[in-house]
């Protein structure tokens, strides 16, 4: 088992690059089937989803668009419960089938607020693709992702785009904090 130290905490490898690739391929295949004949707009939530989004979107065989949004609701290992739009949506979403691309859904606050925002902007449909999902921590039922790579219990994870105070996004595996 590969172990690393980040910010003084020990992390153990949980998903290898091969396992991640398999999950992302399955997820993309479901999107390809569900959205066949449509032109979805992927709204990628920066920063954490950038690596997942790059892998996912390259496996999508639909005629589609991609745009980016940046919000902030999380620092270190504790959520602040407040969402701030740092890079607002720059694409017209009215009448579009939007697929939000997230790294991980935890309390669901980010997705809950984003969905409300996209609906208010007139999106025809809004679904969520998230690499990871912590079902036990979900506080907003409408934030349950439609497409999930892997479910996870409550542990803090890093790597594959997920950071610890800005670091560790570059790791090609996903690591779980060791108790
Ligand atoms: P939520 O709004 O669902 O509570 O939190 C979602 C955001 O919190 C994610 O996009 C991610 O930035 C951050 N987050 C939640 N859980 C984790 C985790 O285990 N590791 C990391 N690195 N970020 C997390």
């Amino acid at each position: 088992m590969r172990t690393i130290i980040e910010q003084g905490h020990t992390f153990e490898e949980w998903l290898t690059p091969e396992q991640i690739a398999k999950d992302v391929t399955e997820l993309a295949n479901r999107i390809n089937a569900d959205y066949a004949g449509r032109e979805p707009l992927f709204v990628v939530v920066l920063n954490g989803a950038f690596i997942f989004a790059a892998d996912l979107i390259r496996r999508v065989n639909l005629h589609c668009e991609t745009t980016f949004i940046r919000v902030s609701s999380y620092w270190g290992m504790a959520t602040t419960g407040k969402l701030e739009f740092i890079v607002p949506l720059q694409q017209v979403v009215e009448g579009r089938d939007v697929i939000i691309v997230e790294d991980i859904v935890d309390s669901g606050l980010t997705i809950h607020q984003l969905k409300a925002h996209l609906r208010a902007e007139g999106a025809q449909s809004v679904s969520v693709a998230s690499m990871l999902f912590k079902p036990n921590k979900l506080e907003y039922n409408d934030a349950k992702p439609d497409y999930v790579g892997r479910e996870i219990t409550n542990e803090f994870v890093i790597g594959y785009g997920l950071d610890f105070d800005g670091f560790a996004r570059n790791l090609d595996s996903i690591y779980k904090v060791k108790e």
Side-chain angles (χ1 to χ4, degrees), residues 119-152:
R119 288 209 186 96
E121 295 287 315
Q124 174 169 278
S125 68
V126 183
S127 69
V128 178
S130 187
M131 179 60 211
L132 302 174
F133 175 39
K134 292 179 176 171
N136 298 339
K137 297 200 62 189
L138 192 70
E139 289 171 28
Y140 301 86
N141 278 333
D142 72 331
K144 189 174 184 291
D146 306 88
Y147 304 95
V148 175
R150 278 288 162 130
E151 289 195 353
I152 177 174

Side-chain angles (χ1 to χ4, degrees), residues 39-55:
E39 283 192 353
L41 169 66
F42 288 94
V43 174
V44 180
V45 184
L46 296 172
N47 293 325
F50 80 110
I51 291 179
F52 168 54
D55 284 347

Side-chain angles (χ1 to χ4, degrees), residues 45 73-74 79 102-111 134 155-158 162-164:
V45 184
S73 70
Y74 213 89
T79 184
E102 241 308 20
D103 52 359
I104 185 164
V105 176
D106 184 287
S107 73
L109 175 71
T110 311
I111 293 301
K134 292 179 176 171
E155 299 99 326
F156 185 75
V157 285
I158 58 170
L162 288 146
D163 74 313
F164 192 165

Side-chain angles (χ1 to χ4, degrees), residues 12-16 19 132 150-152 174-176:
E12 276 180 350
E13 188 178 36
W14 173 56
L15 287 182
T16 64
Q19 288 169 321
L132 302 174
R150 278 288 162 130
E151 289 195 353
I152 177 174
I174 297 178
Y175 291 80
K176 258 186 188 176

Side-chain angles (χ1 to χ4, degrees), residues 5-163:
I5 310 267
E6 182 60 61
Q7 317 282 317
H9 294 266
T10 305
F11 288 82
E12 276 180 350
E13 188 178 36
W14 173 56
L15 287 182
T16 64
E18 293 74 24
Q19 288 169 321
I20 293 169
K22 192 166 168 284
D23 290 348
V24 176
T25 300
E26 283 171 13
L27 203 158
N29 288 344
R30 286 186 51 214
I31 290 177
N32 287 334
D34 290 353
Y35 284 82
R38 289 194 273 169
E39 283 192 353
L41 169 66
F42 288 94
V43 174
V44 180
V45 184
L46 296 172
N47 293 325
F50 80 110
I51 291 179
F52 168 54
D55 284 347
L56 174 69
I57 288 160
R58 282 179 296 170
R59 287 166 166 89
V60 167
N61 58 21
L62 308 162
H63 193 236
C64 61
E65 280 185 279
T66 305
T67 191
F68 300 87
I69 193 168
R70 185 166 174 212
V71 295
S72 176
S73 70
Y74 213 89
W75 284 278
M77 287 211 238
T79 184
T80 62
K82 189 170 167 286
L83 191 75
E84 188 189 347
F85 284 81
I86 298 167
V87 176
L89 192 65
Q90 285 165 0
Q91 186 98 5
V92 175
V93 296
E94 198 177 346
R96 300 299 304 269
D97 292 315
V98 174
I99 304 175
I100 301 172
V101 182
E102 241 308 20
D103 52 359
I104 185 164
V105 176
D106 184 287
S107 73
L109 175 71
T110 311
I111 293 301
H112 171 73
Q113 298 203 359
L114 267 182
K115 273 186 147 176
H117 181 72
L118 291 163
R119 288 209 186 96
E121 295 287 315
Q124 174 169 278
S125 68
V126 183
S127 69
V128 178
S130 187
M131 179 60 211
L132 302 174
F133 175 39
K134 292 179 176 171
N136 298 339
K137 297 200 62 189
L138 192 70
E139 289 171 28
Y140 301 86
N141 278 333
D142 72 331
K144 189 174 184 291
D146 306 88
Y147 304 95
V148 175
R150 278 288 162 130
E151 289 195 353
I152 177 174
T153 44
N154 296 345
E155 299 99 326
F156 185 75
V157 285
I158 58 170
Y160 195 65
L162 288 146
D163 74 313

